Amino acid sequence: MDSAPGSDQRYVPDTVRTAVKILIVGHFAVGKTTFVGTLSEIRPLRTEETMTQASELTDDLAGSPDKSTTTVAMDFGRLTLSEQLVLYLFGAPGQKRFTTLWKDMLNGALGALVLADTRRLDQSFDIMGLLEEHGMPYAVAVNQFDDAPLFPVAEIREALDLLPETPLVTCDARNTASSTEALISLVEYLQTRTSQEH
C-alpha cells in the first residue's frame, strides 16, 4: 500500500484500476464524521456547521450533550487498499431532514456501513430500512462509546432484527485498527455477494 491513513498523499497511484464508493451511514451523532476522518488517508472533506436553536426540536442530543456541530451535506475521505484498489468513503448526514440528499448518495455506491449506538439502537431502523428499500447491501458496526452499555453481539443482532448473513461487528470510530476491521467486514461481505452472483 502506497499510503496510510493520515498521510498527505493527494493523488491516487497510477496503478489503481478500481475505485469503489462506500457509504458510511447511521443516525445523528453516531460517529460517522469521526469514522471517515479516522480512516481517510487524505484530509477529509467535511461539511460541519454549528448547530443552532433551530435544530433543538429535531436533533436528539441524547448521548451526545456536548455536540455543537453537525454534518449538513457529507463527509468524504479516501482509503487506498492496494496498488489496484481505492475506496471512496462518503459519510451521510444522519437527520431525517437530509434523507433526500443521501438517497442521491446511494447512486453508484457498492455498499454501506451502518454505524449504530447501543443507547439508541431504535434509531438505526429507518436507516437500514432505506438501504433495504434501495437494495443496498450493508454491514453494521456498533460504535462503542465510553458511556454506552455493552451487550453480547447476538443480543444486538436480535434487537436490530438483522438477517443471518448481515455482518455485525463492534468498533471504536476513533481507533484506526478498529475502524479498519469494521470496514473490512463490509468489503468481505460485498466480495462474497459478488462471487455468489457470478
Side-chain angles (χ1 to χ4, degrees), residues 68-91:
S68 61
T69 62
T70 187
T71 300
V72 296
M74 68 174 178
D75 298 306
F76 173 78
R78 187 185 79 205
L79 180 60
T80 305
L81 290 188
S82 70
E83 292 181 352
Q84 291 82 34
L85 176 63
V86 65
L87 298 184
Y88 291 112
L89 308 176
F90 287 78

Side-chain angles (χ1 to χ4, degrees), residues 38-187:
T38 295
L39 287 183
S40 183
E41 67 195 11
I42 59 173
R43 183 178 175 186
L45 168 69
R46 293 189 169 135
T47 57
E48 292 275 296
E49 292 295 336
T50 301
M51 296 174 65
T52 66
Q53 290 181 335
S55 69
E56 284 182 356
L57 299 177
T58 55
D59 294 339
D60 181 6
L61 289 175
S64 303
D66 297 328
K67 186 170 178 62
S68 61
T69 62
T70 187
T71 300
V72 296
M74 68 174 178
D75 298 306
F76 173 78
R78 187 185 79 205
L79 180 60
T80 305
L81 290 188
S82 70
E83 292 181 352
Q84 291 82 34
L85 176 63
V86 65
L87 298 184
Y88 291 112
L89 308 176
F90 287 78
Q95 298 96 316
K96 287 185 179 180
R97 64 183 178 275
F98 294 117
T99 300
T100 301
L101 172 67
W102 74 265
K103 277 183 182 177
D104 292 338
M105 292 174 66
L106 289 167
N107 291 326
L110 192 62
L113 183 67
V114 179
L115 292 186
D117 179 349
T118 57
R119 298 167 298 183
R120 299 176 285 165
L121 284 179
D122 59 310
Q123 294 184 24
S124 298
F125 288 114
D126 287 344
I127 305 291
M128 295 186 302
L130 191 58
L131 293 172
E132 291 167 4
E133 178 185 326
H134 288 81
M136 180 64 58
Y138 63 89
V140 177
V142 176
N143 191 11
Q144 296 180 307
F145 290 90
D146 293 337
D147 58 345
L150 299 176
F151 299 101
V153 170
E155 287 185 22
I156 297 172
R157 176 175 290 281
E158 184 177 351
L160 290 174
D161 194 26
L162 298 178
L163 294 173
E165 64 269 22
T166 302
L168 174 64
V169 297
T170 58
C171 76
D172 181 340
R174 302 165 296 185
N175 180 277
T176 302
S178 178
S179 296
T180 300
E181 288 298 320
L183 195 58
I184 287 172
S185 73
L186 171 64
V187 172

